[in-house]
Amino acid sequence: MANIAVFGANGTIGSRIVAEALSRGHQVTAVVRNPAKISTDHENLTVSEGNVLDAASVVTAAKGQDVLVSAVGGDDGPGTIATIKPSAEALVAGLRSLGADAPRLIAVGGAGSLRTPDGKQVWDAEGLPEFLLQIMHAHGDALDYYRTVSDVEWTNATPPATIEPGDRTGTYRTATDDLLTDHAGESRISTEDFAVAVVDEIERPQHTGRRFTVAY
């Protein structure tokens, strides 16, 4: 069983990753700005205070862990810009300072930079609102940054175009940089099954040093 720390553990995606990891017997530390917001009570769960934008806080959270997960978001466009790439930089800086003792990093990304069947990217679609473009490009900038990093073991786990709470089926397909769609042309997954994919990657690493995406 792995020791896993999760930044953003009280968010829509982060809370599902925590739940999935706990259900498989892993030891999980939920790292949040306000520990009082975590109401889950589990013998394998520890709750701690931390700030993903502060490299020193990352070091504290990462010590003794096998995997560090970042599932933080920014709510709106400006918030995402202020959070996603800066957190990537703080995460890498903190893990670098731990050297050989650093855990693996799995960061939740965004679908905007995925390739579509016409050879463009999701964010090239016409009519997208500015706030959504800001969110997409913030995640794209973070991924570009991760791709410059070779001295920290990182993975970027990218959701499909639509991710929302739903059922846990335990099934999904994977790709690297291409948007996955089903027979109806929809690109989607439940947060529960996205969490399955993330914990599967924790247990059986397949995408170290690169991005992967999942969908039905």
Side-chain angles (χ1 to χ4, degrees):
M1 295 296 103
N3 293 314
I4 305 165
V6 182
F7 277 104
N10 57 341
T12 303
I13 294 176
S15 62
R16 268 69 174 189
I17 293 172
V18 169
E20 180 66 25
L22 289 172
S23 75
R24 301 196 201 184
H26 297 293
Q27 297 286 334
V28 180
T29 300
V31 188
V32 292
R33 290 194 175 190
N34 183 359
K37 290 186 176 181
I38 299 291
S39 59
T40 302
D41 184 17
H42 193 286
E43 61 181 359
N44 289 350
L45 177 66
T46 301
V47 181
S48 67
E49 184 176 352
N51 181 0
V52 74
L53 296 175
D54 177 42
S57 186
V58 170
V59 171
T60 299
K63 285 182 178 178
Q65 304 295 335
D66 299 304
V67 180
L68 184 64
V69 176
S70 175
V72 297
D75 296 324
D76 57 11
T80 304
I81 292 170
T83 301
I84 300 303
K85 186 181 178 185
S87 70
E89 293 169 337
L91 287 160
V92 169
L95 294 177
R96 275 180 174 152
S97 72
L98 290 173
D101 294 327
R104 292 166 47 221
L105 170 64
I106 298 180
V108 175
S113 59
L114 291 169
R115 285 192 300 257
T116 52
D118 59 6
K120 296 181 180 181
Q121 290 171 286
V122 172
W123 58 40
D124 293 322
E126 294 183 3
L128 294 175
E130 180 61 24
F131 83 90
L132 185 56
L133 287 170
Q134 290 177 330
I135 291 171
M136 288 179 171
H137 283 283
H139 281 287
D141 290 344
L143 177 59
D144 286 343
Y145 170 70
Y146 282 127
R147 285 172 166 161
T148 71
V149 175
S150 59
D151 56 342
V152 169
E153 292 188 351
W154 63 270
T155 298
N156 186 274
T158 300
T162 299
I163 179 169
E164 56 191 6
D167 295 329
R168 182 195 186 281
T169 69
T171 61
Y172 58 87
R173 295 177 296 137
T174 65
T176 52
D177 294 309
D178 293 309
L179 182 73
L180 287 169
T181 57
D182 61 19
H183 64 279
E186 296 183 353
S187 175
R188 63 183 184 88
I189 200 166
S190 69
T191 47
E192 287 76 9
D193 280 332
F194 183 75
V196 171
V198 170
V199 179
D200 283 350
E201 179 68 21
I202 290 173
E203 295 179 346
R204 299 181 298 279
Q206 302 290 320
H207 303 94
T208 301
R210 57 184 174 146
R211 184 251 295 275
F212 78 103
T213 185
V214 299
Y216 293 130

